[in-house]
Amino acid sequence: MPQPLQIGLLVFPRITQLDMTGPLQVFSSLSGAEIHLVWKRIEGVPSDTVLSIQPTTTFADCPQLDVICVPGGYGTDDLMCDAEVLDFLRRQAGGARYVTSVCTGSIVLAAAGLLTGYRATTHWSAIEVLPILGATISRERVCIDRNRITGGGITAGIDLGLTVVAELADRRTAEAIQLRLEYNPAPPFNAGSPETAPPEVLAMLEDRMKVARQARLALARQVAADRR
């Protein structure tokens, strides 16, 4: 009997829950997969909403994963300097078939040195961090470079999950999951990217994000300097 696929998603304080729950729903539809929500301790982890997420295993008890997925969220800035998290990701990446991320999860992979020399994508507001940490920018919604698969911002987690399933199984399996989820986006507004959003909406959001973006860039430069 074949061994079940081991798929793990990192959870952490101030995670954007949709970054995680989108691919989680997709992965949970894959027959023969065991899904793990991984954190340092088994205790509720606060997201960036009222939702708290319960890990299912710890770093110490987590099996070797076939797929490791790092979601994004405001908490990823802290993870960039968290030696315990970065060491866990490096250990898992060494034996994983696929190393993946959603949104700003890719900057955590990059901080761990796991995207050096790879193309990768992330949320549009963090894209300039990637080259500081050794990755090459891709603006694809889902970027595949060898066994690194990275997704863009937040809702791209569903696309990331379906892409990974197609790699693990086949396209028909991924399409069947897409159909079961009725994932057939038809957004009410054409404002889902910097290229399509009205200029005044983009300017408003960029102004709100300015301080956080500058702080993240400074942090990334410090992480890169410390690695030299």
Side-chain angles (χ1 to χ4, degrees):
M1 179 178 296
Q3 294 295 310
L5 287 166
Q6 302 292 329
I7 301 177
L9 299 102
L10 187 69
V11 295
F12 52 89
R14 296 197 301 155
I15 187 175
T16 294
Q17 61 84 18
L18 186 55
D19 284 9
M20 188 274 292
T21 53
L24 172 65
Q25 194 67 56
V26 174
F27 294 150
S28 297
S29 302
L30 182 60
S31 178
E34 290 186 359
I35 313 298
H36 308 274
L37 303 182
V38 194
W39 182 235
K40 299 175 184 180
R41 297 168 294 278
I42 301 294
E43 59 185 39
V45 175
S47 73
D48 62 359
T49 68
V50 298
L51 181 67
S52 181
I53 300 167
Q54 183 70 26
T56 63
T57 192
T58 64
F59 291 171
D61 294 333
C62 184
Q64 174 59 58
L65 300 171
D66 296 293
V67 177
I68 176 71
C69 182
V70 183
Y74 295 112
T76 54
D77 288 356
D78 293 332
L79 299 188
M80 291 170 67
C81 300
D82 190 318
E84 189 176 356
V85 170
L86 301 180
D87 287 346
F88 170 76
L89 293 175
R90 293 183 190 111
R91 291 197 308 272
Q92 284 289 341
R97 291 172 60 183
Y98 295 101
V99 177
T100 76
S101 65
V102 180
C103 196
T104 54
S106 61
I107 68 175
V108 181
L109 292 180
L114 297 173
L115 292 180
T116 302
Y118 289 85
R119 292 184 302 108
T121 191
T122 189
H123 192 281
W124 60 266
S125 68
I127 199 78
E128 65 266 39
V129 171
L130 289 174
I132 296 173
L133 296 173
T136 299
I137 290 174
S138 166
R139 297 188 183 273
E140 299 166 275
R141 186 152 171 91
V142 178
C143 174
I144 303 176
D145 188 345
R146 290 157 283 176
N147 76 330
R148 304 310 200 244
I149 307 179
T150 53
I154 308 177
T155 58
I158 299 176
D159 304 69
L160 181 283
L162 292 169
T163 300
V164 172
V165 167
E167 294 289 322
L168 291 170
D170 52 44
R171 176 171 174 165
R172 180 168 293 182
T173 299
E175 288 177 333
I177 292 172
Q178 180 180 0
L179 178 58
R180 190 184 75 79
L181 298 179
E182 199 174 351
Y183 179 52
N184 189 30
F189 312 110
N190 189 23
S193 76
E195 292 74 30
T196 62
E200 64 274 16
V201 173
L202 177 60
M204 176 182 67
L205 198 54
E206 286 184 323
D207 185 61
R208 290 178 183 176
M209 292 178 166
K210 183 178 180 180
V211 172
R213 290 176 76 174
Q214 290 175 340
R216 185 183 295 120
L217 281 168
L219 180 59
R221 293 187 184 103
Q222 185 59 56
V223 170
D226 290 345
R227 289 198 322 212
R228 296 192 186 106

